[in-house]
Amino acid sequence: MSFRFKLYRILTALALMITGFFTFGGILFAFVNFPALVSAVIWGACFIHSILSVYLQRSIMFPEITLKESSPGGIRIMGGITLIFAALLFFCGLVLQMIPTEVLKEVMAEAMKQNNGNLSIGFLRGMGVALLLISLILTFNANLSFYFLRQWTKMKEGREE
């Protein structure tokens, strides 16, 4: 097993845990408000991509286990959605890291006036780091799934000849 494949397996497991948490959390709150439903759908697409990645890994490790006919297309579509969502998370995390502290203090003061919660600057910075890490995990996992899908397709074509 190559390093790249081991990394793919680790990133898929991480992506599965992270997206599963947010998907099911979004489903729990989907009945309360519409943005939670949209969030659950987007995280769900990333979750499905991770599940399809597990099936692809299993098929690569055990060639006698084949993928369903729709799985390669699903990996491509869900991987594309995952990449778009990861880019959105990356830019949100980047913005949270790049906002000057003075501006954050003003925003926090305004939030305190409106009683919108008790946020701290450290929490917002930490959330930015978390968003950046999640976006990197999802991006690398999607790119590795595309790479290994091409490898799997070549292996499949070689077996059929």
Side-chain angles (χ1 to χ4, degrees), residues 16-30 40 43-44 47:
L16 197 58
M17 287 187 295
I18 292 167
T19 59
F21 174 77
F22 286 110
T23 298
F24 296 117
I27 289 171
L28 288 175
F29 294 106
W43 282 107
F47 183 70

Side-chain angles (χ1 to χ4, degrees), residues 50-60 65-68 71 75 152:
S50 297
I51 290 173
L52 291 173
S53 292
V54 169
Y55 290 146
L56 175 62
Q57 292 168 11
R58 185 180 65 174
S59 182
I60 289 172
I65 301 174
T66 60
L67 286 176
K68 291 183 181 178
S71 293
I75 290 173
W152 178 84

Side-chain angles (χ1 to χ4, degrees), residues 8 11-12 15-16 19 42-57 71-83 137-147 149:
Y8 179 41
L11 290 176
T12 298
L16 197 58
T19 59
I42 294 171
W43 282 107
C46 299
F47 183 70
I48 291 169
H49 177 263
S50 297
I51 290 173
L52 291 173
S53 292
V54 169
Y55 290 146
L56 175 62
Q57 292 168 11
S71 293
I75 290 173
R76 288 182 187 103
I77 292 169
M78 296 300 170
I81 293 170
T82 298
L83 286 175
I137 289 170
L138 293 177
T139 300
F140 286 127
N141 186 51
N143 283 320
L144 285 171
S145 71
F146 294 150
Y147 172 80
L149 183 61

Side-chain angles (χ1 to χ4, degrees), residues 118-136:
N118 190 12
L119 294 176
S120 68
I121 294 174
F123 176 77
L124 289 176
R125 298 281 190 210
M127 193 167 68
V129 169
L131 290 174
L132 289 171
L133 288 175
I134 291 170
S135 71
L136 291 175

